[in-house]
Amino acid sequence: MNAFADLHLHTQFSDGTFSPEELVNRARSVGLTAIALTDHDTMEGCVRTAIACREAAIEFIPGSELTAEQDGEEIHILGYLMDAENPKLQAELVKFQTIRQNRIHEIVQKLNAKKIPITAEAVLAIANCQAPGRPHVARALVKAGHCATMDEAFERFLKKHRPAWVPKFKMSAEQAINLIHQAGGVAIMAHPGLNRSDDVIPSMLEAGLDGIECFHSKHSAGMTEHYLQMAKEGNVLVTGGSDCHGLSKGRPLIGTVRLDYTHVERLKERAEQYKAAPLGSGSS
Ligand code: AMP
Ligand code: FE
Ligand code: FE
Ligand code: ZN
């Protein structure tokens, strides 16, 4: 029997709407063998997700989606199988979370300047997590009746070049890759098809990127083929995931991308290699 995984999922611990338990229930109902949690800039949800997975007999891969930057472009780097207790990783994640929390105040100030009377407290109450982001602002705008949909909130206010846009501090892609490696994890470029260009990929491979998320719910068949070819040429790992953030147009994305389990085995082998001979520890 073929086994499948979804290695890109969010919960309420970042900007997803499912609790870990709800996510795992959905994973079971769509017949997944393994799932990874990749909340933005946090691993807090991993403990509960791991427990729920154990009860559901689903294999759990801990992870996080780190925000990074390469050549002025925002890049998301998926880290898998890091040691969540790694001190440097923990310190960097706390730094990111503080920046995210402060950014909510800045976004709200910009909205207030546009005569939209929402408060940071209201947004942070909706977020109710350490890694709040623009989707939480969008939900607050919808809840208060200032926008009809989250898409409208992004289009009118929250997107780049819109009135309430506030950039996030980002580490370089190389720093993110090193941070993941020194915590014993594997670094994968998330949804490359959503970036404007592939120009950033060679230098990331040079910096030690372990693989490319070829399968993603927003990749066309052509994009998937293109990145599979690139991964093959670069001799790097292939991963995939739905990037489910909860219900999307009334339906959950979890399980819509079904990664063949052999790729999960490759991913785990790579992490084992790093744990046996840590990278980024200054020994080479
Ligand atoms: P942030 O991390 O605060 O910059 O917010 C980025 C997140 O916003 C992404 O990870 C997506 O989950 C979400 N996002 C981006 N565009 C939209 C949109 N049009 N509607 C809903 N969510 C969006
Ligand atoms: Fe997100
Ligand atoms: Fe992303
Ligand atoms: Zn994501």
Side-chain angles (χ1 to χ4, degrees):
M1 197 185 82
N2 287 337
F4 297 102
D6 185 336
L7 299 184
H8 193 152
L9 300 164
H10 296 266
T11 65
Q12 289 164 345
F13 283 90
S14 68
D15 55 5
T17 57
F18 292 153
S19 66
E21 294 75 21
E22 194 175 357
L23 185 76
V24 172
N25 268 334
R26 301 226 180 225
R28 178 169 35 196
S29 59
V30 295
L32 292 169
T33 297
I35 62 167
L37 183 61
T38 55
D39 273 319
H40 298 284
D41 301 328
T42 182
M43 290 186 77
E44 283 171 294
C46 288
V47 176
R48 269 171 59 189
T49 311
I51 293 169
C53 276
R54 203 177 312 137
E55 284 168 5
I58 290 173
E59 183 177 347
F60 178 60
I61 310 281
S64 182
E65 182 173 16
L66 303 184
T67 315
E69 190 177 74
Q70 181 83 23
D71 305 332
E73 199 179 325
E74 182 165 326
I75 305 282
H76 292 174
I77 299 187
L78 297 160
Y80 292 111
L81 296 160
M82 294 93 83
D83 170 14
E85 304 298 320
N86 178 269
K88 190 158 191 263
L89 177 64
Q90 277 189 344
E92 290 298 323
L93 291 179
V94 167
K95 208 160 97 184
F96 270 130
Q97 291 160 13
T98 306
I99 288 163
R100 280 182 171 276
Q101 291 157 21
N102 293 338
R103 177 169 169 251
I104 297 296
H105 289 271
E106 290 177 60
I107 293 174
V108 165
Q109 275 169 14
K110 290 194 163 193
L111 287 167
N112 293 163
K114 287 279 157 196
K115 304 271 180 286
I116 304 289
I118 68 163
T119 65
E121 288 67 35
V123 175
L124 294 171
I126 285 176
N128 190 30
C129 69
Q130 300 299 318
R134 286 178 292 160
H136 299 115
V137 182
R139 281 180 216 157
L141 287 169
V142 172
K143 191 174 172 206
H146 300 298
C147 298
T149 62
M150 284 182 59
D151 267 345
E152 184 191 325
F154 272 87
E155 286 304 320
R156 277 175 61 197
F157 299 114
L158 302 172
K159 267 174 53 165
K160 200 170 181 176
H161 307 306
R162 296 294 192 270
W165 159 253
V166 177
K168 272 195 301 268
F169 162 84
K170 299 167 199 97
M171 60 173 89
S172 70
E174 183 171 1
Q175 285 170 317
I177 292 166
N178 289 339
L179 182 63
I180 291 165
H181 283 161
Q182 67 81 42
V186 180
I188 307 287
M189 184 181 184
H191 45 62
L194 305 194
N195 291 87
R196 279 183 308 273
S197 80
D198 288 351
D199 299 355
V200 293
I201 296 178
S203 57
M204 289 172 67
L205 290 171
E206 190 81 6
L209 186 77
D210 297 289
I212 299 175
E213 187 180 51
C214 299
F215 301 96
H216 184 274
S217 51
K218 288 194 176 148
H219 280 181
S220 65
M223 279 176 192
T224 299
E225 270 315 307
H226 171 70
Y227 290 111
L228 282 170
Q229 187 60 31
M230 195 176 274
K232 194 171 168 188
E233 280 164 14
N235 192 26
V236 293
L237 301 171
V238 168
T239 71
S242 64
D243 209 353
C244 178
H245 281 73
L247 293 180
S248 160
K249 298 187 174 75
R251 295 173 55 192
L253 284 178
I254 182 170
T256 56
V257 169
R258 300 173 81 80
L259 181 73
D260 197 279
Y261 187 78
T262 53
H263 295 297
V264 179
E265 282 173 340
R266 299 286 100 75
L267 186 78
K268 291 196 291 182
E269 282 163 16
R270 181 64 59 93
E272 286 305 318
Q273 284 168 14
Y274 288 162
K275 282 178 178 77
L279 286 173
S281 54
S283 57
S284 60

